[in-house]
């Protein structure tokens, strides 16, 4: 194959030809959008060759494959990532420059694929990058939502949700595969009967049938031919299945199925549409993997040996009964054989211990929407109950039952039907084992394990922070790109004044880039010589953005009272979306924006502090914000944040963690030492103790702490808004509903932690050293490490094999190390 990216000249020629063929124009006369679409098509087609090599190798060698089922994939943009991973970025940039085009302008035309809420969806995206880069056959399975979560705008100081039309220009990366469409059936009735041999049969007469049509997105690894697939399922009408007289309703129902991402990652109200979405992509994904397997092996007996399924949280848990259904009803396995195959194939990742976020569905809804699947769940429950009784553990059953209180408990179904259950950070897995799922952990010892999350250091360091990457290469070479643990080599230089100075220059450069964005889009001037203190993540009470803004309110009020009280100049950045129905979270955004307006407009105080709320937090905003940060705010109530991954991205770019001992913060301090982070506040044990003793008294704290009282009073005395009732929900949540997340309890410790950080910042060599240590120790938090652990300990995956010739054909470097391997 002749590789058009092998030289600038061939690339330019190909781009001209592509624009001409697609749009009937010369490149010079084309619109930027047309150039972008042509470029995207060339890159995608180039990935096609590696895609083919990967599929061939997997099939020829019988390589075990992973299917990662996730309701969310927060991919962000793919242009830079793909060009860099394929090693053709420079050729394309230089070729475009020859043509008088700036690659950055084309990059900016790509819409973020925001097919998710936040951390959970971004984890899935990081995992795909690591799987491909580590030569593992791992495919994503999700829904092709027509709209992303939502586009957040701030209007009159409040969040407004606009549609996120990410498909406006189409999606240059996807390939439509109508030939692989699958029928998905909902509702209706089930006829069950026994045949003359006593075998159970059922016939489903569905009320609603749609065609699931796949769109495949190639996922290219770093410097390897390995190219996996992210399969996004879209819903289309099934011509044969429309009942007379209801055509319009049918069309609407089909449309609604894949219209948008469910905009809430914390609670699940009984939303039938969401359950339909879950079954839709589960059913289609299972059908696909069964067919792939049969094509290669001709039998499903060895499914578990050749296929691993990972469930990213409980949203895809219907995989368990669905796979049972297919094995029994379509392929005549009996229950025990089918159950053995299913449980050896499926593994489950738990992402939350917050009771209100554990997914439950009304039994009646599940029974009427998915009659056969529900029947199988009942049988799973019956047999599991028998197993528990037989083991003499009946007393433990209520805590483990799948069906209770007229609900289907999806987490319990996930544990019963899989061979591995993992938490996402050490402390989270411990809480699962010792507390939330203690009964299961003792009933199934060995099933529970931990896999601490990670983020792909390629996107979050190498590609989004080229300035830092260049500096690192200068000191420690480029081996860390392939082997992130090599970042540790930087430890030899952390005291080097030259490196420290060069690092500050890089940080300053990144701050200038962020400041320019803020100036252009928000009209706010920020001083790049101030501390950049950042909190970016979904808006949620447990993440305590409220405590952050309270601290800022306190500093402002104090400076207004006392002209001699002045702080180290700091710019506070927030970026966060609130679920549209989450009134308290939206009120907190309003408070942040109103406080920002007041402070930024105050000439006395704004030289010392500014507050910036960047709307529409997304992967692209994160790529701009995180690498400019000095301080990373990770201040959740201890025990509530399962892991966090934002904390890892910040650390990788040198920001110091100002945080509680929660989630992966615990492991971050394990790596860098307490002297290279600022840890404060109540620990999990402290909070348990307060709860047990029922000793939390918000009014006592209010009356005994004048600083806090000043802040809380300011919510209702027209300091930030003319309307004294503007922040009533916040006030009530803290003072009348007893401050569930201990904002008041941790407030003083948080103030002191901030004061310590400011003092630390003044000592430039100490500060630089700490930042560099954070970078040096961040290799552990690469998702490459996480994926290696999953592959070895849960999935049993081996690497895809390529010949030297194939590697060369795919344009990869063939170095000595790989030859030896
Ligand atoms: C990393 C990331 C998150 C997760 O952030 P946490 O601080 O771990 O909650 C959410 N949204 C986006 C866009 C991200 O990139």
């Amino acid at each position: 194959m002749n590789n058009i990216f092998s030289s600038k000249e061939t690339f330019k020629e190909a781009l001209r030809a592509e624009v001409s063929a697609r749009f009937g124009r010369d490149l010079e006369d084309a619109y930027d959008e047309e150039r972008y679409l042509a470029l995207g098509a060339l890159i995608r087609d180039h990935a096609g060759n590696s895609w083919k090599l990967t599929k061939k190798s997997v099939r020829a060698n019988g390589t075990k494959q992973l299917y990662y089922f996730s309701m969310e994939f927060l991919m962000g943009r793919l242009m830079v990532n793909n060009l860099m991973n394929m090693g053709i970025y420079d050729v394309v940039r230089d070729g475009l420059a020859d043509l008088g085009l700036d690659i950055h302008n084309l990059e900016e035309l790509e819409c973020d694929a925001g097919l998710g809420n936040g951390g959970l969806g971004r984890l899935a995206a990081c995992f795909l990058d690591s799987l491909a880069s580590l030569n593992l056959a791992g495919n994503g399975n999700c829904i092709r939502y027509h709209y992303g979560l939502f586009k957040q705008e701030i209007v009159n100081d409040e969040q407004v949700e606009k549609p996120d039309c990410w498909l406006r220009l189409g999606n240059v990366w996807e390939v439509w595969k109508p030939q692989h469409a699958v029928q998905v059936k909902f509702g209706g009735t089930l006829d069950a009967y026994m045949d003359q041999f006593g075998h159970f049969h059922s016939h489903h007469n569905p009320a609603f049938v749609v065609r699931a049509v796949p769109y495949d997105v190639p996922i290219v690894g770093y410097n390897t031919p390995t190219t996996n697939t992210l399969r996004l399922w879209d819903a289309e009408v099934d011509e044969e299945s429309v009942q007379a007289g209801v055509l319009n309703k049918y069309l609407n129902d089909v449309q609604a199925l894949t219209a948008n991402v469910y905009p809430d990652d914390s609670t699940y109200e009984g939303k039938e549409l969401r359950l339909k979405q879950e079954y839709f992509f589960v059913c289609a994904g299972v059908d696909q993997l069964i067919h792939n397997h049969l094509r290669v092996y001709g039998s499903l007996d060895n499914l578990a040996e050749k296929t691993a399924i990972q469930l990213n949280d409980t949203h895809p848990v219907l995989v368990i009964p669905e796979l049972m259904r297919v094995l029994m009803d379509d392929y005549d396995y009996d229950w025990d054989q089918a159950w053995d195959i299913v449980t050896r194939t499926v593994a489950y990742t738990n992402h939350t211990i917050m009771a209100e976020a554990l997914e439950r569905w009304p039994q009646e809804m599940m029974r009427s929407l998915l009659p056969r699947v529900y029947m199988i769940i009942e049988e799973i429950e019956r047999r599991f109950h028998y197993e528990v009784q037989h083991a003499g553990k009946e007393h433990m059953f209520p805590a483990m039952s799948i069906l209770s209180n007229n609900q289907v408990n999806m987490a319990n179904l996930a544990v019963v039907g899989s061979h591995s259950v993992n938490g996402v950070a050490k402390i989270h897995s411990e809480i699962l084992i010792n507390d939330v799922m203690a009964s299961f952990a003792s009933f199934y010892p060995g099933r529970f394990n931990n896999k601490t999350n990670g983020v792909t250091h390629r996107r979050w360091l190498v590609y989004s922070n080229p300035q830092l990457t260049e500096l690192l290469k200068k000191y420690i070479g480029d081996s860390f790109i392939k082997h992130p643990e090599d970042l540790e080599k930087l430890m030899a230089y952390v005291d080097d004044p030259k490196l420290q100075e060069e690092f500050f220059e890089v940080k300053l450069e990144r701050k200038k880039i962020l400041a320019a964005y803020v100036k252009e889009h928000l009209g706010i001037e920020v001083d790049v010589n101030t501390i950049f203190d950042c909190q970016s993540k979904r808006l949620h009470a447990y993440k305590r953005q409220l405590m952050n803004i309270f601290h800022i309110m306190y500093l402002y009020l104090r400076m207004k009272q006392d002209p001699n009280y002045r702080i180290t100049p700091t710019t506070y950045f927030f970026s966060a979306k609130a679920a549209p129905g989450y009134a308290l979270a939206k009120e907190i955004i309003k408070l942040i924006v109103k406080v920002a307006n007041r402070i930024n407009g105050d000439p006395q105080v704004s030289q010392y502090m500014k507050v910036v709320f960047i709307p529409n937090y997304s992967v692209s905003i994160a790529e701009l914000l995180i690498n400019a940060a000095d301080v990373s705010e990770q201040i959740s109530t201890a025990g509530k944040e399962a892991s966090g991954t934002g904390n890892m991205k910040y650390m990788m770019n040198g920001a110091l963690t100002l945080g509680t001992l929660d989630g992966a913060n615990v492991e971050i301090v394990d790596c860098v030492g307490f002297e290279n982070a600022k840890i404060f506040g109540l620990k999990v044990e402290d909070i348990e103790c307060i709860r047990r003793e029922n000793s939390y008294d918000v009014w006592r704290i209010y009356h005994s702490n004048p600083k806090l009282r000043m802040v809380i009073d300011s919510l209702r005395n027209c300091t930030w808004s003319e309307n004294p009732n503007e922040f009533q929900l916040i006030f009530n949540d803290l003072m009348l509903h007893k401050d569930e997340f201990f904002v008041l309890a941790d407030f003083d410790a948080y103030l002191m932690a901030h004061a310590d950080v400011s003092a630390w910042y003044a000592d430039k060599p100490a500060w630089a050293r700490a930042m560099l240590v954070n970078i040096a120790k961040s290799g552990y938090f690469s998702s490459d490490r996480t994926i290696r652990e999953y592959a070895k300990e849960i999935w049993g995956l081996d690497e895809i094999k390529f010949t030297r010739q194939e590697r060369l054909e795919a344009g990869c470097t063939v170095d000595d190390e790989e030859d030896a391997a």
Side-chain angles (χ1 to χ4, degrees):
M1 195 198 82
N2 66 353
N3 175 357
I4 56 163
F5 294 99
S6 57
S7 79
K8 266 194 327 187
E9 301 310 323
T10 49
F11 161 65
K12 287 189 293 190
E13 205 46 52
L15 186 63
R16 283 187 180 288
E18 187 74 21
V19 169
S20 161
R22 277 181 179 253
F23 303 108
R25 288 181 207 279
D26 283 334
L27 186 69
E28 287 72 17
D29 303 329
Y31 290 90
D32 262 348
E33 283 80 1
E34 293 169 337
R35 296 170 180 147
Y36 161 76
L37 292 171
L39 175 60
L42 289 179
I43 301 167
R44 185 200 56 227
D45 291 351
H46 184 58
N49 188 47
S50 300
W51 223 352
K52 179 186 71 188
L53 293 175
T54 304
K55 288 173 190 164
K56 268 187 170 168
S57 173
V58 166
R59 190 184 296 190
N61 297 298
T63 313
K64 187 171 185 178
Q65 300 202 62
L66 163 75
Y67 292 87
Y68 195 82
F69 278 70
S70 177
M71 193 84 175
E72 306 184 10
F73 280 86
L74 206 60
M75 300 298 286
R77 291 173 175 156
L78 284 174
M79 174 85 78
V80 173
N81 191 77
N82 287 349
L83 288 172
M84 293 273 196
N85 274 7
M86 292 188 210
I88 57 177
Y89 187 87
D90 291 358
V91 168
V92 169
R93 181 197 54 209
D94 297 347
L96 289 171
D98 283 0
L99 297 165
L101 301 171
D102 184 343
I103 190 168
H104 296 303
N105 292 340
L106 298 190
E107 288 165 14
E108 288 295 316
L109 290 174
E110 181 171 3
C111 296
D112 272 43
L115 308 184
N117 275 291
L120 173 149
R122 185 53 229 175
L123 183 76
C126 284
F127 279 6
L128 289 185
D129 184 66
S130 287
L131 281 160
S133 298
L134 295 174
N135 285 318
L136 300 169
N139 309 294
N141 193 62
C142 187
I143 294 172
R144 184 173 180 271
Y145 303 101
H146 293 201
Y147 302 93
L149 182 62
F150 61 81
K151 183 159 160 258
Q152 180 195 50
E153 289 180 7
I154 301 296
V155 179
N156 296 330
D157 304 336
E158 295 189 44
Q159 167 174 303
V160 173
E161 301 97 30
K162 297 274 171 72
D164 170 25
C165 307
W166 74 289
L167 290 170
R168 198 169 40 233
L169 292 179
N171 175 8
V172 293
W173 310 114
E174 69 191 13
V175 181
W176 182 43
K177 301 263 177 80
Q179 68 276 25
H180 297 317
V182 174
Q183 273 194 340
V184 183
K185 301 172 182 172
F186 297 95
T189 56
L190 198 68
D191 300 328
Y193 60 95
M194 290 277 186
D195 66 18
Q196 71 243 52
F197 310 108
H199 291 308
F200 175 87
H201 293 275
S202 67
H203 181 74
H204 183 192
N205 304 299
F208 178 56
V209 180
V210 296
R211 250 165 26 103
V213 186
Y215 289 72
D216 286 355
V217 178
I219 303 295
V220 302
Y222 172 75
N223 191 29
T224 165
T226 299
T227 300
N228 291 323
T229 303
L230 168 59
R231 181 158 275 195
L232 301 174
W233 294 96
D234 207 341
E236 288 185 19
V237 296
D238 189 72
E239 286 166 41
E240 304 308 311
S241 308
V242 194
Q243 282 153 20
V246 293
L247 180 61
N248 278 327
K249 180 178 181 326
Y250 176 74
L251 295 179
N252 287 336
D253 288 351
V254 172
Q255 272 247 308
L257 202 49
T258 53
N260 49 330
V261 179
Y262 193 78
D264 193 337
D265 58 355
S266 56
T267 59
Y268 297 106
E269 273 78 61
K271 287 262 179 358
E272 193 186 33
L273 179 57
R274 164 112 176 158
L275 184 56
K276 273 191 194 164
Q277 286 187 332
E278 291 185 358
Y279 183 67
F280 171 74
F281 90 109
V282 158
C283 173
V286 165
D287 188 281
Q288 172 216 357
L289 75 86
I290 293 276
H291 278 107
N292 283 354
H293 186 88
L294 283 173
R295 260 185 86 185
V296 182
Y297 302 102
S299 153
L300 295 173
D301 291 354
N302 66 343
L303 187 73
E305 283 73 42
K306 296 296 176 185
T307 302
I309 296 176
Q310 190 70 35
L311 308 178
N312 194 26
D313 212 328
T314 52
H315 322 136
V317 163
L318 292 173
V319 162
I320 292 165
E322 174 65 10
L323 197 49
M324 287 297 288
R325 182 186 75 75
V326 173
L327 290 171
M328 294 190 302
D329 295 0
D330 300 348
Y331 295 95
D332 287 334
Y333 284 87
D334 66 28
W335 181 281
D336 291 329
Q337 291 170 314
W339 186 245
D340 179 61
I341 294 174
V342 170
T343 49
R344 285 191 298 121
T345 305
V346 177
Y348 155 62
T349 304
N350 174 284
H351 281 271
T352 182
I353 48 178
M354 306 239 293
E356 66 271 29
L358 287 171
E359 203 181 7
R360 290 186 169 84
W361 293 102
Q363 285 176 27
E364 209 28 65
M365 185 192 289
M366 182 98 68
R367 190 206 310 269
S368 58
L369 192 66
L370 307 168
R372 178 64 179 136
V373 162
Y374 182 76
M375 196 179 211
I376 291 170
I377 294 173
E378 280 186 321
E379 183 64 12
I380 293 172
E381 163 91 338
R382 198 181 65 76
R383 288 173 185 247
F384 173 60
H385 194 174
Y386 179 80
E387 188 188 340
V388 173
Q389 279 175 330
H390 209 72
K393 305 273 172 67
E394 177 66 21
H395 59 285
M396 286 164 57
F397 185 69
M400 303 191 290
S401 68
I402 298 165
L403 302 173
S404 58
N405 301 321
N406 299 316
Q407 292 188 312
V408 185
N409 182 321
M410 302 297 267
N412 289 359
L413 176 57
V415 178
V416 173
S418 57
H419 65 91
S420 161
V421 178
N422 74 283
V424 289
K426 269 186 201 156
I427 187 176
H428 166 63
S429 297
E430 276 162 22
I431 295 173
L432 270 185
I433 291 170
N434 298 325
D435 183 1
V436 183
M437 294 197 166
S439 302
F440 271 125
S442 84
F443 192 72
Y444 292 128
R447 189 167 294 192
F448 284 74
N449 64 88
N450 175 60
K451 297 285 168 283
T452 298
N453 282 167
V455 300
T456 167
H457 62 290
R458 284 169 292 277
R459 177 179 291 264
W460 294 108
L461 168 60
V462 182
Y463 306 156
S464 57
N465 195 346
Q467 294 84 355
L468 180 55
T469 302
E470 279 313 305
L471 180 63
L472 293 172
K473 280 186 189 167
K474 197 165 109 184
Y475 280 80
I476 60 171
D478 63 3
S479 68
F480 70 93
I481 300 176
K482 191 104 195 152
H483 306 284
E485 60 283 1
D486 284 355
L487 283 166
E488 183 102 24
K489 291 180 189 165
L490 197 64
M491 285 308 289
Y493 305 96
V494 294
D495 289 304
D496 181 343
K498 181 83 173 40
L499 171 62
Q500 294 188 352
E501 192 186 315
E502 288 176 283
F503 175 67
F504 277 138
E505 279 165 24
V506 164
K507 195 48 101 178
L508 188 67
E509 179 62 25
R510 293 307 319 186
K511 286 180 169 184
K512 285 180 182 165
I513 293 169
L514 175 61
Y517 177 91
V518 168
K519 174 85 179 109
E520 185 189 338
H521 291 88
L522 307 175
I524 303 173
E525 293 278 357
V526 303
D527 179 352
V528 292
N529 296 307
T530 58
I531 301 176
F532 276 24
D533 180 301
C534 305
Q535 187 174 17
S536 62
K537 48 184 76 247
R538 282 299 289 267
L539 203 308
H540 202 289
Y542 84 81
K543 293 178 183 273
R544 298 200 293 193
Q545 282 95 349
L546 187 59
M547 189 164 74
N548 189 346
I549 197 67
F550 271 15
H551 168 245
I552 294 166
M553 290 154 68
Y554 161 73
L555 293 176
Y556 174 78
L557 294 171
R558 179 85 196 273
M559 283 197 273
K560 292 304 277 183
Q561 277 176 358
D562 177 357
N564 295 318
Y565 180 81
R566 288 299 177 255
I567 61 166
T568 310
T570 304
T571 309
Y572 300 91
F573 291 91
F574 291 84
S575 197
K577 287 178 183 174
Y582 190 175
L584 177 65
K586 290 177 127 178
E587 197 165 292
I588 293 170
I589 289 180
K590 184 164 63 177
L591 177 62
I592 294 170
V593 174
K594 285 199 180 284
V595 169
N597 293 345
R598 165 60 48 83
I599 292 177
N600 300 345
D602 184 319
Q604 273 178 323
V605 172
S606 63
Q607 325 159 36
Y608 296 95
M609 61 194 301
K610 281 205 172 149
V611 181
V612 180
F613 185 93
I614 302 179
N616 202 36
Y617 191 50
S618 55
V619 173
S620 289
I621 296 286
E623 286 169 353
L624 197 65
L625 176 63
I626 287 173
N627 51 39
D630 295 307
V631 179
S632 160
E633 298 262 0
Q634 306 298 339
I635 57 177
S636 53
T637 312
K640 294 296 178 187
E641 188 74 86
S643 163
T645 49
N647 46 4
M648 302 170 185
K649 301 168 198 165
Y650 277 101
M651 174 199 192
M652 234 169 230
N653 286 278
L656 302 192
T657 304
L658 169 55
T660 47
L661 278 182
D662 197 17
N665 296 354
V666 175
E667 287 157 83
I668 289 178
V669 242
D670 278 350
C671 287
V672 302
F674 278 90
E675 66 281 13
N676 291 304
K678 187 68 213 176
I679 298 300
F680 72 95
L682 295 171
K683 302 182 182 57
V684 172
E685 311 83 85
D686 303 331
I687 285 175
E688 270 169 12
C689 184
I690 296 174
R691 286 237 170 83
R692 209 173 322 116
E693 294 174 353
N694 196 17
S695 61
Y696 192 42
D697 182 346
V698 286
W699 286 103
R700 193 175 46 78
I701 300 177
Y702 171 88
H703 286 297
S704 63
N705 184 338
K707 295 174 182 170
L708 187 57
R709 194 162 67 235
M710 173 170 78
V711 171
I712 290 181
D713 289 348
S714 80
L715 289 173
R716 303 200 296 171
N717 66 12
C718 299
T719 305
W720 316 105
S721 162
E722 282 136 45
N723 174 3
N725 299 319
E726 190 95 83
F727 305 116
Q728 198 65 43
L729 277 181
I730 295 174
F731 180 87
N732 291 353
D733 190 67
L734 297 178
M735 305 311 296
L736 305 181
H737 305 142
K738 296 214 220 161
D739 183 19
E740 189 186 346
F741 298 105
F742 298 93
V743 171
L744 273 55
D746 269 342
F747 183 72
D748 264 353
Y750 184 57
L751 253 57
M752 281 191 278
H754 261 292
D756 290 349
V757 166
S758 292
W760 193 0
Y761 185 77
D763 182 350
K764 288 297 164 207
W767 184 261
R769 183 182 195 283
M771 289 185 120
L772 291 166
V773 170
N774 271 270
I775 297 168
K777 299 287 184 181
S778 68
Y780 181 79
F781 299 100
S782 166
S783 45
D784 288 3
R785 187 269 312 152
T786 314
I787 286 296
R788 279 204 180 89
E789 290 178 7
Y790 274 94
K792 183 156 178 281
E793 294 163 26
I794 300 179
W795 303 328
L797 296 187
D798 292 323
E799 283 190 28
I800 305 173
K801 296 188 187 74
F802 295 105
T803 63
R804 190 190 157 89
Q805 187 51 40
E806 285 170 330
R807 291 184 56 86
L808 286 171
E809 195 183 319
C812 306
T813 58
V814 187
D815 54 37
D816 296 331
E817 178 202 7
E818 254 116 16
D819 273 358

